[in-house]
Amino acid sequence: MVATQSKSPKPNRKHQILESLALMLQNCPGQRITTAKLAAEVGFSEAALYRHFPSKARMFEGLIDFIEESIFSRINLILTDHKEALVRCHHILHVLLVFSERNPGMCRILAGDALMGENERLRGRVHQFFEKLESQFKQVLRERKLREGKTFSINEAALANLLVSFAEGKMSQYVRSGYTKKPSSDFNEQWQFLMADK
């Protein structure tokens, strides 16, 4: 019987490019990432990069797709596992902050810092992400009256906006501090204060 050599799976080049881009965004704060620098980091030619992505904007969009998929798939699990509105909101915010903390390069995208001088469409995509997040909070908060028979001392739209603004502020601080001021720091204490009379 002849032993067959098992072939190791071929690395996914697109995935490799996106990982390298995220790592460069993390390690080069304030610097613009060029395709030449990215190609050198990945060990490809620029032409090889463009075989996988037609433009640098599409590479950034690949990371934004990953962010959206990661966050909103977790939100769906939270909505399935928990029924109380405030518990849902707490967990959604916590997921967003911890994701940002663990993925500093992607946090730079969400904070807008990494998109300076890039295609305007990318800023639109990030704006849509936060709009979708705010809509999700609004829905959860409005359902509280139906599910729990409770209301807030502030309207749901204003509270949803406050929660998103809080998260965006924590992410911006993280980027501005050079990743030293972690988004999840003091979160539970801050959450208790925010929700004290809710």
Side-chain angles (χ1 to χ4, degrees):
M1 188 152 124
V2 179
T4 55
Q5 271 191 319
S6 61
K7 288 185 179 177
S8 57
K10 199 176 179 184
N12 182 326
R13 299 289 189 213
K14 273 189 164 187
H15 186 72
Q16 212 177 337
I17 293 166
L18 294 179
E19 272 188 349
S20 294
L21 177 56
L23 198 59
M24 288 181 77
L25 288 171
Q26 176 179 331
N27 295 333
C28 309
Q31 292 180 32
R32 194 158 181 262
I33 309 297
T34 64
T35 51
K37 286 180 188 172
L38 180 58
E41 179 73 21
V42 183
F44 296 172
S45 65
E46 282 188 77
L49 284 184
Y50 288 118
R51 277 198 293 277
H52 297 285
F53 292 96
S55 65
K56 187 167 62 152
R58 290 297 287 273
M59 295 175 205
F60 275 100
E61 283 186 317
L63 288 180
I64 295 169
D65 289 341
F66 175 79
I67 293 166
E68 287 180 339
E69 172 59 30
S70 300
I71 297 297
F72 287 104
S73 64
R74 288 288 295 125
I75 288 174
N76 288 336
L77 289 174
I78 289 165
L79 298 180
T80 302
D81 294 346
H82 303 281
K83 299 304 171 199
E84 286 181 43
L86 293 184
V87 171
R88 285 174 159 188
C89 290
H90 174 274
H91 286 324
I92 290 169
L93 264 184
H94 190 254
V95 159
L96 183 60
L97 297 179
V98 170
F99 177 87
S100 300
E101 197 171 296
R102 290 180 181 165
N103 300 281
M106 293 186 216
C107 184
R108 280 191 62 204
I109 291 174
L110 291 175
D113 172 73
L115 302 180
M116 301 298 275
E118 299 296 344
N119 190 306
E120 190 58 34
R121 184 175 77 238
L122 299 171
R123 299 178 79 75
R125 283 286 308 274
V126 170
H127 175 72
Q128 282 175 355
F129 170 83
F130 283 110
E131 289 289 302
K132 187 175 173 183
L133 185 66
E134 191 167 327
S135 293
Q136 187 67 74
F137 276 126
K138 262 188 270 191
Q139 183 182 331
V140 168
L141 295 168
R142 285 179 177 149
E143 285 175 3
R144 187 186 195 211
K145 189 173 184 179
L146 301 171
R147 287 177 182 271
E148 303 165 46
K150 295 175 182 174
T151 56
F152 295 97
S153 56
I154 181 176
N155 79 63
E156 292 91 351
L159 183 51
N161 179 260
L162 174 67
L163 296 178
V164 171
S165 299
F166 172 81
E168 286 191 77
K170 295 283 265 181
M171 288 186 279
S172 290
Q173 272 188 336
Y174 186 47
V175 171
R176 204 170 52 244
S177 71
Y179 314 129
T180 58
K181 206 167 179 105
K182 294 186 175 181
S184 65
S185 293
D186 304 317
F187 171 63
N188 286 324
E189 194 178 349
Q190 291 164 336
W191 177 258
Q192 284 170 8
F193 177 80
L194 282 173
M195 297 298 138
D197 64 342
K198 305 296 182 286

